mmCIF file of all heavy atoms in Angstrom:
data_model
loop_
_atom_site.group_PDB
_atom_site.id
_atom_site.type_symbol
_atom_site.label_atom_id
_atom_site.label_comp_id
_atom_site.label_asym_id
_atom_site.label_seq_id
_atom_site.Cartn_x
_atom_site.Cartn_y
_atom_site.Cartn_z
ATOM 1 N N ARG A 364 143.541 131.272 231.847
ATOM 2 C CA ARG A 364 143.907 129.871 232.096
ATOM 3 C C ARG A 364 145.429 129.768 232.135
ATOM 4 O O ARG A 364 146.114 130.355 231.283
ATOM 5 C CB ARG A 364 143.378 128.960 230.984
ATOM 6 C CG ARG A 364 141.876 128.889 230.951
ATOM 7 C CD ARG A 364 141.388 128.204 229.694
ATOM 8 N NE ARG A 364 141.687 126.774 229.683
ATOM 9 C CZ ARG A 364 141.642 126.022 228.581
ATOM 10 N NH1 ARG A 364 141.354 126.550 227.409
ATOM 11 N NH2 ARG A 364 141.904 124.739 228.660
ATOM 12 N N HIS A 365 145.923 129.020 233.101
ATOM 13 C CA HIS A 365 147.374 128.775 233.176
ATOM 14 C C HIS A 365 147.738 127.724 232.132
ATOM 15 O O HIS A 365 146.889 126.946 231.700
ATOM 16 C CB HIS A 365 147.726 128.269 234.581
ATOM 17 C CG HIS A 365 149.180 128.355 234.924
ATOM 18 N ND1 HIS A 365 150.051 127.327 234.662
ATOM 19 C CD2 HIS A 365 149.915 129.331 235.497
ATOM 20 C CE1 HIS A 365 151.260 127.677 235.079
ATOM 21 N NE2 HIS A 365 151.217 128.885 235.582
ATOM 22 N N SER A 366 148.998 127.693 231.742
ATOM 23 C CA SER A 366 149.432 126.701 230.755
ATOM 24 C C SER A 366 149.514 125.305 231.361
ATOM 25 O O SER A 366 149.187 124.309 230.718
ATOM 26 C CB SER A 366 150.801 127.106 230.202
ATOM 27 O OG SER A 366 151.355 126.055 229.464
ATOM 28 N N LYS A 367 149.964 125.243 232.632
ATOM 29 C CA LYS A 367 150.132 123.944 233.293
ATOM 30 C C LYS A 367 149.166 123.838 234.462
ATOM 31 O O LYS A 367 148.835 124.846 235.089
ATOM 32 C CB LYS A 367 151.567 123.776 233.775
ATOM 33 C CG LYS A 367 152.522 123.498 232.633
ATOM 34 C CD LYS A 367 153.796 122.927 233.179
ATOM 35 C CE LYS A 367 154.590 122.251 232.093
ATOM 36 N NZ LYS A 367 155.857 121.719 232.617
ATOM 37 N N ALA A 368 148.791 122.624 234.778
ATOM 38 C CA ALA A 368 147.698 122.438 235.730
ATOM 39 C C ALA A 368 148.093 122.694 237.182
ATOM 40 O O ALA A 368 147.319 123.251 237.956
ATOM 41 C CB ALA A 368 147.138 121.028 235.589
ATOM 42 N N GLY A 369 149.301 122.295 237.571
ATOM 43 C CA GLY A 369 149.638 122.331 238.990
ATOM 44 C C GLY A 369 150.408 123.552 239.444
ATOM 45 O O GLY A 369 150.329 123.952 240.608
ATOM 46 N N GLU A 370 151.161 124.147 238.542
ATOM 47 C CA GLU A 370 152.101 125.188 238.960
ATOM 48 C C GLU A 370 151.426 126.454 239.485
ATOM 49 O O GLU A 370 152.002 127.196 240.275
ATOM 50 C CB GLU A 370 153.051 125.539 237.809
ATOM 51 C CG GLU A 370 154.019 124.410 237.510
ATOM 52 C CD GLU A 370 154.977 124.727 236.372
ATOM 53 O OE1 GLU A 370 155.123 125.909 235.996
ATOM 54 O OE2 GLU A 370 155.583 123.785 235.845
ATOM 55 N N LEU A 371 150.187 126.684 239.048
ATOM 56 C CA LEU A 371 149.462 127.868 239.521
ATOM 57 C C LEU A 371 149.352 127.860 241.045
ATOM 58 O O LEU A 371 149.380 128.906 241.692
ATOM 59 C CB LEU A 371 148.066 127.889 238.874
ATOM 60 C CG LEU A 371 147.214 129.122 239.108
ATOM 61 C CD1 LEU A 371 147.904 130.386 238.597
ATOM 62 C CD2 LEU A 371 145.850 128.966 238.441
ATOM 63 N N ALA A 372 149.252 126.658 241.603
ATOM 64 C CA ALA A 372 149.084 126.520 243.055
ATOM 65 C C ALA A 372 150.300 127.038 243.827
ATOM 66 O O ALA A 372 150.204 127.325 245.019
ATOM 67 C CB ALA A 372 148.812 125.062 243.421
ATOM 68 N N GLU A 373 151.438 127.150 243.149
ATOM 69 C CA GLU A 373 152.636 127.678 243.819
ATOM 70 C C GLU A 373 152.558 129.195 244.000
ATOM 71 O O GLU A 373 153.370 129.787 244.702
ATOM 72 C CB GLU A 373 153.911 127.324 243.039
ATOM 73 C CG GLU A 373 154.160 125.820 242.900
ATOM 74 C CD GLU A 373 154.373 125.102 244.237
ATOM 75 O OE1 GLU A 373 154.760 125.740 245.230
ATOM 76 O OE2 GLU A 373 154.112 123.874 244.280
ATOM 77 N N HIS A 374 151.584 129.828 243.354
ATOM 78 C CA HIS A 374 151.430 131.288 243.449
ATOM 79 C C HIS A 374 150.306 131.713 244.391
ATOM 80 O O HIS A 374 150.134 132.895 244.641
ATOM 81 C CB HIS A 374 151.153 131.880 242.061
ATOM 82 C CG HIS A 374 152.277 131.697 241.093
ATOM 83 N ND1 HIS A 374 153.363 132.541 241.044
ATOM 84 C CD2 HIS A 374 152.497 130.746 240.154
ATOM 85 C CE1 HIS A 374 154.188 132.126 240.112
ATOM 86 N NE2 HIS A 374 153.696 131.045 239.550
ATOM 87 N N PHE A 375 149.497 130.752 244.826
ATOM 88 C CA PHE A 375 148.298 131.093 245.609
ATOM 89 C C PHE A 375 148.194 130.220 246.850
ATOM 90 O O PHE A 375 148.562 129.054 246.824
ATOM 91 C CB PHE A 375 147.034 130.904 244.747
ATOM 92 C CG PHE A 375 146.919 131.942 243.655
ATOM 93 C CD1 PHE A 375 147.554 131.737 242.429
ATOM 94 C CD2 PHE A 375 146.218 133.122 243.870
ATOM 95 C CE1 PHE A 375 147.481 132.704 241.436
ATOM 96 C CE2 PHE A 375 146.141 134.088 242.875
ATOM 97 C CZ PHE A 375 146.772 133.884 241.638
ATOM 98 N N ASN A 376 147.668 130.814 247.922
ATOM 99 C CA ASN A 376 147.475 130.061 249.168
ATOM 100 C C ASN A 376 146.181 129.269 249.171
ATOM 101 O O ASN A 376 146.035 128.314 249.915
ATOM 102 C CB ASN A 376 147.450 131.020 250.366
ATOM 103 C CG ASN A 376 148.843 131.570 250.656
ATOM 104 O OD1 ASN A 376 149.851 130.942 250.338
ATOM 105 N ND2 ASN A 376 148.900 132.755 251.240
ATOM 106 N N GLN A 377 145.224 129.728 248.367
ATOM 107 C CA GLN A 377 143.926 129.042 248.388
ATOM 108 C C GLN A 377 143.278 129.047 247.020
ATOM 109 O O GLN A 377 143.580 129.899 246.182
ATOM 110 C CB GLN A 377 143.007 129.691 249.426
ATOM 111 C CG GLN A 377 142.802 131.176 249.186
ATOM 112 C CD GLN A 377 142.088 131.854 250.346
ATOM 113 O OE1 GLN A 377 142.199 131.407 251.485
ATOM 114 N NE2 GLN A 377 141.341 132.908 250.068
ATOM 115 N N TYR A 378 142.417 128.073 246.811
ATOM 116 C CA TYR A 378 141.603 127.990 245.602
ATOM 117 C C TYR A 378 140.137 128.122 246.013
ATOM 118 O O TYR A 378 139.724 127.515 247.009
ATOM 119 C CB TYR A 378 141.789 126.626 244.902
ATOM 120 C CG TYR A 378 142.993 126.493 243.990
ATOM 121 C CD1 TYR A 378 144.037 127.405 244.007
ATOM 122 C CD2 TYR A 378 143.074 125.417 243.095
ATOM 123 C CE1 TYR A 378 145.131 127.256 243.164
ATOM 124 C CE2 TYR A 378 144.166 125.262 242.243
ATOM 125 C CZ TYR A 378 145.192 126.185 242.286
ATOM 126 O OH TYR A 378 146.277 126.038 241.451
ATOM 127 N N HIS A 379 139.381 128.873 245.221
ATOM 128 C CA HIS A 379 137.934 128.970 245.428
ATOM 129 C C HIS A 379 137.261 127.882 244.597
ATOM 130 O O HIS A 379 137.498 127.809 243.389
ATOM 131 C CB HIS A 379 137.422 130.340 244.991
ATOM 132 C CG HIS A 379 137.935 131.459 245.844
ATOM 133 N ND1 HIS A 379 139.227 131.938 245.773
ATOM 134 C CD2 HIS A 379 137.324 132.177 246.820
ATOM 135 C CE1 HIS A 379 139.391 132.895 246.663
ATOM 136 N NE2 HIS A 379 138.259 133.063 247.310
ATOM 137 N N LEU A 380 136.456 127.074 245.250
ATOM 138 C CA LEU A 380 135.763 126.000 244.538
ATOM 139 C C LEU A 380 134.347 126.465 244.199
ATOM 140 O O LEU A 380 133.617 126.955 245.076
ATOM 141 C CB LEU A 380 135.721 124.732 245.390
ATOM 142 C CG LEU A 380 137.080 124.248 245.926
ATOM 143 C CD1 LEU A 380 136.913 122.913 246.675
ATOM 144 C CD2 LEU A 380 138.106 124.088 244.802
ATOM 145 N N VAL A 381 134.005 126.320 242.929
ATOM 146 C CA VAL A 381 132.737 126.848 242.425
ATOM 147 C C VAL A 381 131.874 125.694 241.938
ATOM 148 O O VAL A 381 132.371 124.775 241.278
ATOM 149 C CB VAL A 381 133.024 127.821 241.253
ATOM 150 C CG1 VAL A 381 131.731 128.294 240.606
ATOM 151 C CG2 VAL A 381 133.861 129.004 241.731
#
Side-chain angles (χ1 to χ4, degrees):
R364 294 169 70 196
H365 197 270
S366 168
K367 286 198 162 179
E370 291 180 16
L371 187 59
E373 299 297 337
H374 296 277
F375 290 86
N376 288 334
Q377 57 190 28
Y378 277 14
H379 294 75
L380 307 184
V381 174

